[in-house]
Amino acid sequence: APLTMGKKRVSYFYHQEMPLVYFGSAHPMKPHRLKLTHHLILNYGLHKHLDCYAPKPADPGVMSEYFHDEEYVQFLRKITPDNGRQHAANIQRFNVGGTADCPVFEGLFEFNQITSGASIDGAVQLCLDMYDIAVNWSGGFHHAHKAEAAGFCYINDIVLAIVELLKVHARVLYIDIDVHHGDGVEEAFYTSDRVMTFSLHKYGDFFPGTGSLREKGAKAGDGYSLNCPLNNGISDEKYFEQLFKPVFDKIMEVFQPSAIVLQCGADSLAADRLGTLNLTTRGHARMVEYVKSKSVPTLVLGGGGYTIRNVARVWCYETAVLVDKPDICDDIPYHDYYEYFAPTYKLHLKPENMTDLNSKSDIDNMRTDLLQQLKGLRGAPSVGMHQVPPLFHRMEEKDAEKDLEEDLHADVRPPKKKRGRKSKKQHEAELYDGVD
């Protein structure tokens, strides 16, 4: 049943070990961005409007039962930076360790257990009607496949969470506003009419190379995959008003989901280290705000985002939007990580001075195609729900205030910068390591 309008009950997942994981000096994925986000949330006082949880690590058996190949999960459990030679055959097979994108690093499997556990826990809370919105900024690893890592993703926490939601919810909508196509999630549910995927992403000579308008689903899922392939430089107004809002409204009318999973990859922001779009923090948050306005139980996840000071900005602001505090001060409060936000020390981003290569006719044609695709569906599929499977055991609630206060005063320093060549000119406050 739809939620009542008004104040939403919001849960928030954070584990103090997550930001300590290190993919490597040259790798663009910096989990330290979670620490920056968390400290902004604390220093803006947003945690007072959240119920805060430490997630339970996902059980390997659940990973393979819900989605992943068991041999692949066992490989991820065993592989370490020191024993690669013993697993040489599987390194290429599973695309882990043999490429720069998906390295083997210390604590790899434990990190994925925590990020996945938080997404599953959030899904369980929504299924039990404990909360209206569950937030896990550490999740959103949308490129992971059944038996293959890809694009910095090893375990697909999104698919695991959606499978959990499907135990109770007849239809689940997945929305992806990352700059990259949500290929792993689309692939997992490509033949299902119970999960609709809606991805807006850069397309054309860009990872992962999928996500054209022609990818619409197959068999029972024909028409249930929607893709918005974008060009460089799209702005807030065009993205939201001309694409996201009209298509999302039609999805809600035709598909009528009873739960939503929203992947908020921050690499669609202006000035991202890997991204090519031109959204501002306020523009990115418009999607979050609009999804929230529909009053459907929603799991909100992170994703990409490689200019880490901007990742923290937008995820903090989106947390504020979710707890009905969209007017928080643009001046960032002084705190341990204040210098990351130099030189402006402001929460909000302005768009970059770049050309928008998305013509009005291209956007109009895409919107028309997607609305026509939705119109062709036979309406919301009916699902006979006979026996609901048992929900994944949820982590018990921690003493949130105590944990948060301890973390607020913890002295966790970012690694020192190394001198060397940079893959892209970095801001002096970015503090990620250079390439040796």
Side-chain angles (χ1 to χ4, degrees), residues 89-133:
N90 283 331
I91 279 176
Q92 192 165 2
R93 177 186 170 196
F94 295 132
N95 194 37
V96 175
T99 66
D101 275 6
C102 299
V104 176
F105 53 85
E106 202 66 51
L108 184 158
F109 191 67
E110 291 76 12
F111 175 73
N112 280 277
Q113 280 187 291
I114 293 169
T115 56
S116 298
S119 293
I120 295 170
D121 282 356
V124 170
Q125 290 181 343
L126 297 178
C127 287
L128 295 173
D129 192 30
M130 293 172 63
Y131 294 94
D132 307 319
I133 298 164

Side-chain angles (χ1 to χ4, degrees), residues 176-180 198-203 206 227-247 265-272 275-284 286-287 350-364 366-367 370:
D176 193 314
I177 60 172
D178 194 289
V179 74
H180 301 96
F198 175 34
S199 178
L200 304 94
H201 48 269
K202 157 78 174 167
Y203 181 73
F206 195 74
N227 287 296
C228 289
L230 303 170
N231 214 324
N232 293 352
I234 194 167
S235 61
D236 292 348
E237 201 66 19
K238 197 178 282 185
Y239 190 106
F240 179 76
E241 293 291 350
Q242 297 178 34
L243 274 177
F244 184 88
K245 185 175 182 288
V247 176
D267 46 9
S268 47
L269 287 174
D272 186 76
T276 64
L277 306 185
N278 202 17
L279 301 184
T280 66
T281 39
R282 284 194 173 93
H284 199 272
R286 284 183 83 178
M287 277 66 75
K350 293 191 170 95
E352 293 285 286
N353 184 18
M354 65 188 295
T355 305
D356 183 355
L357 299 179
N358 299 271
S359 70
K360 184 179 186 304
S361 62
D362 285 347
I363 296 294
D364 289 347
M366 192 188 309
R367 182 180 64 248
L370 291 169

Side-chain angles (χ1 to χ4, degrees), residues 171 173 175 196-198 223-224 226 228 240-257 260 290-291 294 366-381:
R171 292 174 302 282
L173 170 62
I175 304 170
M196 180 172 280
T197 60
F198 175 34
Y224 289 85
L226 294 107
C228 289
F240 179 76
E241 293 291 350
Q242 297 178 34
L243 274 177
F244 184 88
K245 185 175 182 288
V247 176
F248 177 61
D249 282 343
K250 190 67 176 176
I251 289 170
M252 296 304 289
E253 176 198 325
V254 173
F255 186 61
Q256 298 171 23
I260 296 173
Y290 198 62
V291 169
K294 299 297 183 181
M366 192 188 309
R367 182 180 64 248
T368 302
D369 285 352
L370 291 169
L371 293 176
Q372 197 61 40
Q373 180 181 330
L374 286 162
K375 197 175 175 184
L377 296 179
R378 61 189 176 279

Side-chain angles (χ1 to χ4, degrees), residues 348-420:
H348 289 293
L349 291 178
K350 293 191 170 95
E352 293 285 286
N353 184 18
M354 65 188 295
T355 305
D356 183 355
L357 299 179
N358 299 271
S359 70
K360 184 179 186 304
S361 62
D362 285 347
I363 296 294
D364 289 347
N365 291 338
M366 192 188 309
R367 182 180 64 248
T368 302
D369 285 352
L370 291 169
L371 293 176
Q372 197 61 40
Q373 180 181 330
L374 286 162
K375 197 175 175 184
L377 296 179
R378 61 189 176 279
S382 58
V383 179
M385 301 292 277
H386 302 295
Q387 187 177 351
V388 178
L391 295 170
F392 183 74
H393 181 69
R394 185 180 62 79
M395 177 70 178
E396 291 178 3
E397 185 174 358
K398 298 289 185 185
D399 181 352
E401 289 295 327
K402 180 172 177 289
D403 287 353
L404 286 167
E405 287 305 317
E406 284 177 3
D407 192 61
L408 181 56
H409 299 296
D411 185 21
V412 182
R413 301 294 177 198
K416 290 181 180 177
K417 285 191 282 185
K418 294 179 183 176
R419 297 185 179 275

Side-chain angles (χ1 to χ4, degrees), residues 13 35 52 63 108-109 114 125 137 150 157 161 169 182 221 229-230 239 248 267 309 322 336 344 354 414 429:
F13 289 90
K35 174 70 80 175
C52 305
M63 294 174 178
L108 184 158
F109 191 67
I114 293 169
Q125 290 181 343
W137 294 127
D157 64 289
H169 294 277
L230 303 170
Y239 190 106
F248 177 61
D267 46 9
R309 64 186 184 274
L322 291 169
D336 286 353
T344 67
M354 65 188 295

Side-chain angles (χ1 to χ4, degrees), residues 213-227:
L213 275 167
R214 295 187 302 277
E215 292 175 37
K216 298 181 179 182
K219 297 185 178 178
D222 186 18
Y224 289 85
S225 294
L226 294 107
N227 287 296

Side-chain angles (χ1 to χ4, degrees), residues 34-54:
L34 299 168
K35 174 70 80 175
L36 301 189
T37 304
H38 186 60
H39 274 250
L40 280 185
I41 288 169
L42 291 174
N43 282 278
Y44 271 107
L46 299 174
H47 62 288
K48 296 169 187 172
H49 309 282
L50 300 162
D51 284 351
C52 305
Y53 292 86

